Each structure stands twice: as C-alpha cells, then as structure tokens.
Amino acid sequence: MCDIDHESTTRSVTTIHRNGRRSLYMAGVIAAGGGFVVGFDSGAISGIMVLDPFINRFLNVQAAYREALLVAIMLLTATIGGLASGNVCDGIGRKYTILLGTGVFAIGALFETIGINFGMLMAGRIFVGFGEGFLTNAIPLYHTEIAPPDIRGRLITLFSATASIGTIVGYFVNFGTSYLTTDWAWRLPFLIQLVVCVLLGSVYFLPFSPRWLIDQGRKEEALEVVAKLHESTIKDPQVLNEFNCICEEIEVERSFGNRTYIECFRGTNLKRTLFALFTGNGAAFTGTYSINYYSPQIFQQAGVGSTAISLATSGASNILVLIVSIVTLFVIDKLGRRGIFISGAAIMGISMYIVGALFQAYYVVNEEGIVTISSVPVCGTIITFVFIFQATYAYSWGPVAYIYPAEISNMRTRAKTIGLAYGLNWAVGIFMTFVMPIFMTHTVYGGYYFFAACCTILFIGSFFLPETKGKTLEEIDRMFNPIE
C-alpha cells in the first residue's frame, strides 16, 4: 500500500471543486504532437521521392533500390527503437522518452535538410527511424496511463488524429514545393520537420505518468499529478480512490521481482502479449504502410496523370482520413474494440480485393513501358476504393491497434509489451514497403491480393479478442487475474 497518511485528507470533502478535464486534454494534445511529425514524415517522404530535383540528386542511379532503401532503413531503425523503448520508458519515464524521441528525430531532420549526398540522407533516415520508434511507443503509453477509462480511447486516438494532420500537411507542402526547380523542393519539407521538433520541446512541462511515478516510489508527486489531471485536490475522494487502486495494483506486481521481456510470455501474460502482437502487427499487415508510402505512384498507375496531380490526390485522400479520425475521437469510447477490428478488417479486405481485380483486368503498358489504366471509370473506381481503404483504417486498425495493446497489458509489463507490439509493427512495415515496389513492377495487382488475404485472416482472428471498452486498467487486469 502507499505510504501516505490520508487521514487528514479525508476530513473536508465538501469543499472540493473540480474544474473539468482541461488539464488532461491539454497534456494529451501536447504529447500527441509527436504524432504530427511522424505523420508529416510519412506524407512528406512519399511525395519527396517523386520530385525531379530529389530524383536528380539522389535517385539518378539504382533508383528502385535506393527508393526502397530510404523507406526500409527508417523502418528498420524504427523497429530497433520500438523494441528498445520498453526499457527506456520504464527507465527514464514516458515523458522523457517522448522528449528523447523528439530530439533524435530532430537530428535526423537536420541531416536530411543538409542532405549534401545520399549517405547523409541515409543517416538522417536512420535517426528519424529511431525517433519514430520511441514516439510511437511512448505517446500511446503516456496517454493510456493518464486517462480515465471513459475517455482513454479518445485520448490515445489523438496520436492517430495528429498523425493524420501531419500526413496531410506533408502532402500539401510537397504539392507546393513540387513547383520549385531547386533543391528547396525537398529541403523545405525536412526543414519544417526540424522546426516542429524544436517546438515539441514543450513536452518537458507536462506532468509525469502517475503510474510510472508510483512505480518509482515517488508517491507524493504521483498523488499531486492525479489531482492536477482531475483539476481537483489531493483531498478529493475520487482522486484518492484512483491513487490507491494504482498503488495496490503496482504493489502486487512488484512482488514478482525484476521485470524481463521473458515475463511477457509467462502465465496469463502470454495470452495478453499474443493479443497485443496480433493487433499491433495486424495493423501493418493490412498494407497501410505500402498504400500510404506509395500512394502517389499507385494513383499514377491508376491513370491519374502528372506528379503534381497524383500528390494532390494523395493529399485529398488524407483529408478524408483526417475527417474520419476526428469523428473517431468522439465515438471510439462508445464502440467496442472487437467490433471495430472486425468491421475494419472486412471493409479493407473487400477494398483490396476489388482494387486488385480492377488492376488485373484493365491495366495496360504504354509505349514508354509505363503501367497505367486507360479507362476513366475504372481509374475513378480504383481511387475510390483506395480512399475507402484509408478511411476505414483511420477509424479501425489505425487508432485501435494503438489502444488495445496498451489496455490489455498490466503495469508491470505494459512498456515492454507495447515495445514488442509496435517495434515488430515497424519490422512488418519493412517487409511491406520492400515487396510493394516489386509487386507494382512485376505483377501490378499481386500486392493488393496479398493485403486482402491478410485482412481476411485479421477478420477471422478478431472474433477471439476480449472486449476492453469502458474498463479501468485495473479491471482489465482482473479479467486475466481474477480475485479468488
């Protein structure tokens, strides 16, 4: 139990005044700013790689290999960063891990902006990958541990929403710079990333996760944080009840000794970890990495036309994703997690089957050896179902694959389980981004059938997931470890 004398804090409960959840939402929004730079990078790099000044400087030899390498090396270091972030989050805290990720990302953006040769650009992508690996673990983890159960899904979804905003901004920055004929066409997007990373230094002023503070023995500070997030006082019975529940849960978990990754696969933790890996990695197997990174090229193959128009079309699809993400913020905690997984996998699978079939039936190779779709109605249909795929991901596997692994894990193994889930998610992304250009070059339609088959497997597997909506983290723990 917590070594805090609450006798004096329970005498005057009639004078408590709660001012709402502004502090909670403010902390959530500022922390979610890391999602913006992650999304911006996704939107920017896909557009940058089709700009003529960038191609002339970096992709003038071995273009296909270098293009895939630029994407894959970032995903590789993001995988390493994600896997390492479990220990980092437990060691220095969720807040400082967000700051670390932002700082590493800023170093990468600086190298990319300078970019005097391909080697320096690669160095930048390496640092950016580590930054993204830290951010995509630490931010949802931070949100999970500061949020009450009735808005936990909404708060975690802020990461996906800000990532969608960043992706849109990235695409349209590229659309604007695509008219430049100098190296600033690709330097400017990287410079914007650097500036945003500097601004995200404001994360330093956020409160620590109260659960992490208690786990570190800083209980008085944790009680103050819980009260601050509730915009109340340490005398508030609701604050004290939440604080005591966290203390009791952590005290029980401490009795098991030192934490290791092996513990994630022992006892009831094994089932939790498998659920986390299924949902966290399943999000990557939907094909979203490939569709997002190569959407300008996909739209060009579908017959959209020029580079600028394909970038604008990609940006339009991400506006739709943003709209869906905003709607999801308000409904995510009213819908069951399992139902969202099931419906999302079904709609995305159907969309990919249709896109694959249309490419297989109607693609042609013109005199210049370029794959395209000559039928305008078919082109429109392909674009429509790519839009449907992206919008569906934005309301289902996009946000909920971040929510579910964080919810299903206990405090003792949460950081490590999320590190495994999100780290391996990046690893799957490496595979997906490497195979997509091969599919687009040699089979055109094969990649879409592959993603559709993966979504079919995810659809079936989602029926076996336990529901976590509306439960406190401690109640979810009791689902796997009931009190006898």
Side-chain angles (χ1 to χ4, degrees):
M1 294 293 292
C2 292
D3 303 322
I4 291 181
D5 181 13
H6 293 149
E7 182 178 352
S8 62
T9 65
T10 56
R11 293 173 183 167
S12 304
V13 297
T14 57
T15 60
I16 293 169
H17 299 285
R18 297 194 187 101
N19 299 316
R21 289 172 165 171
R22 286 172 297 181
S23 297
L24 188 63
Y25 280 117
M26 183 64 68
V29 170
I30 294 174
F36 179 89
V37 293
V38 172
F40 188 96
D41 183 73
S42 175
I45 196 64
S46 60
I48 286 172
M49 289 191 298
V50 299
L51 297 176
D52 287 337
F54 184 84
I55 292 172
N56 293 336
R57 177 175 284 268
F58 300 113
L59 305 180
N60 52 346
V61 294
Q62 298 179 309
Y65 169 76
R66 285 191 170 191
E67 183 177 329
L69 187 60
L70 281 172
V71 176
I73 194 65
M74 186 278 291
L75 294 174
L76 175 61
T77 52
T79 300
I80 298 171
L83 293 173
S85 62
N87 284 329
V88 176
C89 284
D90 282 339
I92 66 174
R94 289 54 166 140
K95 183 179 82 170
Y96 284 151
T97 305
I98 296 174
L99 283 172
L100 175 63
T102 303
V104 173
F105 199 115
I107 294 172
L110 178 62
F111 281 138
E112 289 174 324
T113 304
I114 298 171
I116 58 176
N117 53 45
F118 187 74
M120 180 169 285
L121 184 68
M122 284 289 293
R125 298 307 294 164
I126 289 172
F127 277 102
V128 165
F130 278 116
E132 292 198 16
F134 289 134
L135 290 173
T136 52
N137 182 359
I139 294 173
L141 180 57
Y142 181 79
H143 284 154
T144 301
E145 294 185 352
I146 68 171
D150 60 314
I151 62 168
R152 187 170 58 240
R154 182 183 307 171
L155 215 61
I156 300 174
T157 304
L158 283 172
F159 179 81
S160 298
T162 55
S164 297
I165 295 173
T167 303
I168 291 173
V169 174
Y171 271 119
F172 281 100
V173 166
N174 278 147
F175 179 71
T177 61
S178 67
Y179 292 97
L180 299 177
T181 57
T182 68
D183 284 345
W184 280 106
W186 54 268
R187 290 188 197 274
L188 185 58
F190 291 140
L191 180 60
I192 291 174
Q193 283 183 324
L194 177 59
V195 172
V196 174
C197 285
V198 173
L199 295 176
L200 284 176
S202 59
V203 169
Y204 176 81
F205 300 101
L206 295 182
F208 290 97
S209 159
R211 286 174 169 82
W212 180 79
L213 287 172
I214 294 171
D215 194 45
Q216 298 295 308
R218 297 159 61 178
K219 295 170 184 176
E220 291 83 0
E221 187 178 350
L223 180 58
E224 293 286 348
V225 170
V226 174
K228 180 180 179 180
L229 292 174
H230 282 279
E231 298 197 1
S232 186
T233 70
I234 61 174
K235 299 181 180 181
D236 188 335
Q238 181 178 340
V239 169
L240 292 172
N241 180 64
E242 179 177 334
F243 175 75
N244 286 324
C245 286
I246 298 171
C247 282
E248 291 171 3
E249 195 66 36
I250 292 176
E251 289 297 330
V252 171
E253 292 173 359
R254 276 181 174 173
S255 66
F256 296 106
N258 295 329
R259 305 170 187 179
T260 64
Y261 277 100
I262 295 176
E263 186 178 351
C264 297
F265 299 93
R266 289 176 176 168
T268 59
N269 286 338
L270 173 61
K271 184 180 292 185
R272 297 183 184 204
T273 302
L274 291 177
F275 287 143
L277 292 176
F278 173 80
T279 54
N281 295 306
F285 274 108
T286 61
T288 184
Y289 283 114
S290 298
I291 299 299
N292 287 338
Y293 276 115
Y294 297 109
S295 59
Q297 294 92 321
I298 292 171
F299 291 137
Q300 283 181 324
Q301 282 195 345
V304 167
S306 68
T307 297
I309 296 176
S310 68
L311 286 174
T313 306
S314 298
S317 71
N318 281 282
I319 290 177
L320 174 63
V321 167
L322 174 60
I323 294 172
V324 174
S325 297
I326 293 174
V327 173
T328 302
L329 283 173
F330 297 98
V331 301
I332 191 73
D333 288 304
K334 299 177 183 179
L335 304 174
R337 314 297 197 226
R338 181 169 54 195
I340 294 176
F341 279 130
I342 292 171
S343 61
I347 297 172
M348 287 189 291
I350 292 170
S351 298
M352 288 294 96
Y353 279 124
I354 292 174
V355 171
L358 290 174
F359 266 115
Q360 182 179 10
Y362 292 99
Y363 88 90
V364 295
V365 180
N366 62 21
E367 297 177 352
E368 299 176 354
I370 299 174
V371 174
T372 187
I373 300 291
S374 58
S375 171
V376 174
V378 174
C379 172
T381 304
I382 290 174
I383 293 172
T384 298
F385 277 100
V386 170
F387 275 35
I388 291 173
F389 173 89
Q390 292 177 304
T392 303
Y393 182 83
Y395 101 84
S396 59
W397 286 80
V400 187
Y402 282 111
I403 297 170
Y404 198 81
E407 289 182 328
I408 206 72
S409 311
N410 60 25
M411 175 63 200
R412 182 176 173 82
T413 62
R414 183 171 296 122
K416 290 179 172 60
T417 301
I418 294 177
L420 286 172
Y422 300 163
L424 293 177
N425 177 293
W426 289 110
V428 175
I430 296 173
F431 170 74
M432 292 296 189
T433 52
F434 252 126
V435 301
M436 188 60 180
I438 297 172
F439 278 130
M440 293 173 69
T441 301
H442 297 287
T443 70
V444 180
Y445 52 84
Y448 306 106
Y449 285 143
F450 174 71
F451 300 146
C454 291
C455 288
T456 302
I457 296 172
L458 295 175
F459 170 76
I460 297 171
S462 296
F463 283 95
F464 300 95
L465 298 174
E467 184 58 66
T468 59
K469 178 184 74 75
K471 296 180 173 63
T472 67
L473 298 178
E474 289 69 37
E475 287 172 342
I476 294 171
D477 186 61
R478 294 302 177 194
M479 291 167 53
F480 296 90
N481 297 291
I483 300 176
E484 297 181 359

